[in-house]
Amino acid sequence: MAYMLLTLPYMILLLKSGDKSPFTHNTKELVANRSRRKWVFLMFFGSIPPMIYFFISHKVHKVAGAYTSYAFFEWALIVFDVMFDSLAMVEFKALDLAVLPGKPDEQRE
């Protein structure tokens, strides 16, 4: 439950800051990426109410097959979360990190 509640501010903050990525200057690509993230955000939080419904149907009302539907929605949350985070690759595409060896003398100056 905490995972779903803490994901809300995380996704909202990333959606708000998606237009101002310092790592890429391609605004067309950023706008398209933000649109994709919004859709994944909506799918993530749109799948929570049916998941809760099927969980209650399984636990309280003992409906046959409700747990299977609940499990599908639970896995959908995981897939949507991974999709949302994978879209960050567009923002960090221009970032190039490298670890270079240095001389011991250069480390202490």
Side-chain angles (χ1 to χ4, degrees):
M1 185 67 166
Y3 162 72
M4 291 183 282
L5 291 175
L6 292 174
T7 302
L8 178 65
Y10 167 72
M11 287 185 171
I12 289 173
L13 288 173
L14 282 178
L15 281 173
K16 297 277 186 197
S17 66
D19 293 341
K20 306 171 200 101
S21 177
F23 304 114
T24 184
H25 300 292
N26 188 347
T27 56
K28 183 179 175 185
E29 196 170 355
L30 283 176
V31 170
N33 189 46
R34 185 169 189 230
S35 175
R36 287 184 208 113
R37 278 191 172 186
K38 277 185 185 177
W39 279 107
V40 174
F41 170 81
L42 291 173
M43 288 188 294
F44 183 91
F45 286 102
S47 63
I48 292 175
M51 184 181 79
I52 292 170
Y53 170 78
F54 286 116
F55 183 77
I56 291 171
S57 295
H58 165 69
K59 283 291 190 182
V60 177
H61 305 296
K62 309 290 186 202
V63 175
Y67 189 79
T68 301
S69 300
Y70 162 77
F72 283 129
F73 281 102
E74 189 175 26
W75 276 102
L77 282 179
I78 296 167
V79 170
F80 295 145
D81 190 29
V82 170
M83 284 172 61
F84 188 88
D85 291 335
S86 68
L87 290 170
M89 289 176 53
V90 172
E91 295 176 20
F92 294 109
K93 191 186 304 184
L95 183 64
D96 188 23
L97 295 176
V99 177
L100 302 173
K103 296 178 185 174
D105 301 351
E106 294 175 352
Q107 291 179 358
R108 293 189 180 221
E109 285 188 20

